[in-house]
Amino acid sequence: QVQLQQPGAGLVKPGTSVKLSCKASGYNFTSYWINWVKLRPGQGLEWIGDIYPASGSTNYNEKFKRKATLTVDTSSSTAYMQLSSLASEDSALYYCARPLYYYDVTWFAYWGQGTLVTVSA
Amino acid sequence: DIQMTQTSPSLSASLGDRVTISCRASQDISNYLNWYQQKPDGTVRLLIYYTSRFHSGVPSRFSGSGSGTDYSLTISNLEQEDIATYFCQQGHTLPWTFGGGTNLEIK
């Protein structure tokens, strides 16, 4: 079955960077985009961007273009998101998600457990 | 960007009730509307895609409807395990955007 494994939590200092991982299993990793989504209490979910593992092509939400960098390691079926210049507003739960498609309809069918990032000195 | 608004940040209902959660888009999204459930432990799962199509394994008490800019998720016969936050998401135009969520509580 499709699984997306994410580490549970991380504490990081302001101004630094963090690299989150999302290890995929149960399907052909290179055939589906991997999406990243941010959840802050009271803020709802925000789509950060996605990456196509076969080519490394990416799409970013304009809001996160200078904050997030998406990469993949196809040898380990793992997607990564690096967040830079961390500030308090980056403290959030970050999910990776894999879509399913039907013609031009896309939906996030599979989700990781999320990684809680806490930015604190 | 398309703004998604869930007008009720929270709802309170009794077990066995029929509950409707609403979502409005800032423009016509032509039924490209998905619903997700986030449990208190953080687990997120897809419930409904393309307005009214069921994802596999989702109980039949969940249903979706709507068109144009206005959509809704209905839970008939509310159960304890339905305590969660529900999010809508438009799949019409990048960037994909979500509603602010509706937190469902038991009275």
Side-chain angles (χ1 to χ4, degrees):
Chain A
Q1 71 281 22
V2 175
Q3 288 191 324
L4 300 173
Q5 292 179 282
Q6 297 184 256
L11 177 63
V12 291
K13 295 190 183 307
T16 64
S17 298
V18 67
K19 194 170 186 177
L20 309 183
S21 64
C22 172
K23 183 172 176 57
S25 60
Y27 71 98
N28 184 351
F29 178 66
T30 57
S31 296
Y32 293 86
W33 293 79
I34 289 284
N35 290 252
W36 291 87
V37 178
K38 176 182 181 182
L39 176 61
R40 291 188 71 198
Q43 304 291 313
L45 290 161
E46 293 182 280
W47 180 76
I48 296 171
D50 60 6
I51 184 166
Y52 190 59
S55 64
S57 295
T58 55
N59 297 296
Y60 289 96
N61 185 334
E62 192 67 33
K63 177 179 178 179
F64 293 96
K65 267 189 173 177
R66 284 174 293 280
K67 173 62 64 176
T69 302
L70 306 182
T71 57
V72 294
D73 177 357
T74 55
S75 68
S76 63
S77 298
T78 303
Y80 297 95
M81 177 174 67
Q82 179 158 322
L83 300 171
S84 61
S85 303
L86 291 165
S88 59
E89 58 264 30
D90 298 316
S91 293
L93 191 53
Y94 292 90
Y95 292 97
C96 60
R98 201 213 84 175
L100 280 175
Y101 317 97
Y102 182 75
Y103 288 97
D104 63 344
V105 183
T106 302
W107 59 97
F108 300 132
Y110 305 99
W111 292 71
Q113 285 293 102
T115 297
L116 182 63
V117 173
T118 303
V119 181
S120 175
Chain B
D1 298 359
I2 296 176
Q3 305 302 313
M4 304 300 293
T5 302
Q6 292 179 240
T7 53
S8 299
S10 65
L11 281 176
S12 184
S14 300
L15 296 177
D17 278 357
R18 179 185 178 92
V19 176
T20 298
I21 297 170
S22 300
C23 175
R24 174 167 288 174
S26 59
Q27 65 184 70
D28 186 343
I29 55 171
S30 303
N31 293 106
Y32 291 88
L33 191 284
N34 308 317
W35 289 98
Y36 303 90
Q37 176 195 63
Q38 186 206 24
K39 287 291 193 73
D41 68 355
T43 302
V44 177
R45 70 162 172 169
L46 170 73
L47 297 174
I48 301 286
Y49 66 96
Y50 199 53
T51 297
S52 60
R53 298 188 181 177
F54 296 97
H55 183 56
S56 62
V58 174
S60 59
R61 63 181 181 276
F62 290 93
S63 62
S65 64
S67 63
T69 61
D70 293 315
Y71 298 86
S72 60
L73 173 73
T74 298
I75 311 171
S76 60
N77 195 16
L78 186 67
E79 296 190 8
Q80 185 69 38
E81 66 180 29
D82 300 333
I83 300 310
T85 301
Y86 293 85
F87 296 93
C88 59
Q89 175 246 328
Q90 64 83 15
H92 184 274
T93 306
L94 284 173
W96 310 134
T97 48
F98 295 81
T102 296
N103 184 37
L104 183 57
E105 300 171 335
I106 299 293
K107 275 183 189 174

